[in-house]
């Protein structure tokens, strides 16, 4: 099985302008595909911007809404899978909003939808309902791909649940702010190492109203190293998710084999 070249889009896009952000995503998908990528990951709430306050109610869309159809067209046009963050309006629960991420395949078919389970800060706690499914997965190019969003990856139980469920590559669209640079620099690589999987962590960057996003988007490998990392500015970084390297790393690393779950009951 060949490696999956993965592109991380580090951008905050245009605040409140979905059409402009879809255009940015389309351009990034073209560049990623030209570089041989089979997957593009954009940040948390990429389609709308993060610091949109009460405008969230106007900009939120259903999981199969017009923006999802536009992203599907981008995926088909460039022949690669696309993961992205957006505010989701639940059509079955009037007025309920989720901070969501979706993965759409290269054929335009939705593969997975995830709702953020651990909400962060006053903005998210005011407007969003937390999701209740910790492990959401899809199959992509022979890999088991999982999804979570930003703050979720900072909870070790969350990532361990994915490891135990067989996730090979964990997609984490994020909106990490200063001064939490320790997360992409240290926490994300450690999570990848202790759980023996790849983590693709795509961040926003720069100032956005009261927020200051730190960039540093990272593709971390099961050896605990950054296989690719962005700087602080806008850009696209690429790295390979190598199934052979992952299998060899899992064979050598005994963490999951040496667990003693009977001792951990007090954790829950």
């Amino acid at each position: 099985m060949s490696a999956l070249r993965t592109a991380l889009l580090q951008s905050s896009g245009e605040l409140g302008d979905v059409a402009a952000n879809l255009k940015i995503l389309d351009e990034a998908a073209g560049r990623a595909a030209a570089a041989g990528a089979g997957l593009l990951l954009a940040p948390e709430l990429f389609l709308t911007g993060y610091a949109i306050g009460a405008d969230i109610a106007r900009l939120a869309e259903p999981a199969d809404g017009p923006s999802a159809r536009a992203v599907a067209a981008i995926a088909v046009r460039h022949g690669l899978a696309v993961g992205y963050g957006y505010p989701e309006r639940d059509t079955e629960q009037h007025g309920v909003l989720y901070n969501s991420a979706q993965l759409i395949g290269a054929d335009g078919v939705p593969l997975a939808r995830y709702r953020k389970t651990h909400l962060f800060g006053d903005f998210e706690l005011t407007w969003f309902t937390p999701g209740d499914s910790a492990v959401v997965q899809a199959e992509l190019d022979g890999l088991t791909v999982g999804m979570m969003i930003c703050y979720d990856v900072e909870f070790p139980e969350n990532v361990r649940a994915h490891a135990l469920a067989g996730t090979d590559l964990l997609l984490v669209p994020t909106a990490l702010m200063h001064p939490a640079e320790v997360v992409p620099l240290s926490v994300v690589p450690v999570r990848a190492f202790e759980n023996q999987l790849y983590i693709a962590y795509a961040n926003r960057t720069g100032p956005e109203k009261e927020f200051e996003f730190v960039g540093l988007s990272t593709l971390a490998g099961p050896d605990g190293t950054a296989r690719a990392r962005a700087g602080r500015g806008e850009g696209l970084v690429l790295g390979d998710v190598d199934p052979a390297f992952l299998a060899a790393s899992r064979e050598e690393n005994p963490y999951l084999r040496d667990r003693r779950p009977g001792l951990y009951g007090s954790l829950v």
Side-chain angles (χ1 to χ4, degrees):
M1 190 164 52
S2 60
L4 174 64
R5 179 148 293 181
T6 300
L8 308 179
L9 172 59
Q10 181 164 287
S11 172
S12 289
E14 298 293 336
L15 187 63
D17 191 335
V18 175
N21 294 329
L22 286 168
K23 185 176 180 180
I24 292 169
L25 189 66
D26 189 18
E27 187 272 340
R31 290 166 54 205
L39 169 64
L40 171 66
L41 180 65
E44 179 177 7
L45 295 179
F46 181 72
L47 294 188
T48 59
Y50 189 90
I52 50 179
D55 221 19
I56 195 83
R58 177 180 66 84
L59 294 172
E61 295 184 21
D64 59 354
S67 290
R69 294 192 292 273
V71 175
I74 290 170
V76 170
R77 181 159 53 251
H78 298 290
L80 80 174
V82 179
Y84 65 99
Y86 68 105
E88 180 194 351
R89 179 182 304 282
D90 191 321
T91 56
E92 296 181 359
Q93 303 178 73
H94 180 69
V96 174
L97 305 178
Y98 295 96
N99 184 340
S100 294
Q102 188 153 223
L103 176 64
I104 295 179
D107 59 359
V109 175
L111 299 177
R113 182 190 67 198
Y114 173 80
R115 293 166 169 173
K116 190 173 185 178
T117 55
H118 296 76
L119 302 179
F120 179 85
D122 292 341
F123 164 63
E124 293 186 26
L125 290 168
T126 296
W127 290 102
F128 295 118
T129 296
D132 56 10
S133 297
V135 177
V136 171
Q137 295 172 311
E139 294 300 312
L140 179 65
D141 289 1
L143 295 167
T144 300
V145 177
M147 302 192 79
M148 58 177 58
I149 299 172
C150 196
Y151 194 39
D152 292 326
V153 80
E154 298 175 40
F155 292 81
E157 301 89 344
N158 250 20
V159 186
R160 180 51 54 87
H162 270 275
L164 297 177
T167 294
D168 300 313
L169 168 61
L170 185 59
L171 305 183
V172 188
T174 191
L176 185 82
M177 308 156 198
H178 179 76
E181 286 89 340
V182 67
V183 177
L185 293 177
S186 298
V187 174
V188 168
V190 167
R191 289 283 176 273
F193 177 68
E194 68 192 2
N195 291 289
Q196 289 299 290
L197 41 69
Y198 283 89
I199 299 179
Y201 186 86
N203 197 16
R204 307 177 70 81
T205 185
E208 193 174 305
K209 290 190 176 178
E210 69 268 35
F211 303 109
E212 177 72 32
F213 301 110
V214 302
L216 301 174
S217 297
T218 303
L219 177 65
D223 58 350
T225 67
R227 319 300 287 188
R229 176 173 284 144
R232 300 285 185 149
E234 302 255 339
L236 189 73
V237 295
L238 295 102
D240 290 335
V241 175
D242 185 347
F245 181 79
L246 179 59
S249 182
R250 286 173 169 173
E251 184 63 30
E252 292 179 4
N253 188 304
Y255 282 150
L256 297 181
R257 294 193 300 272
D258 289 349
R259 292 173 64 251
R260 296 181 61 193
L263 299 178
Y264 312 144
S266 62
L267 292 178
V268 294

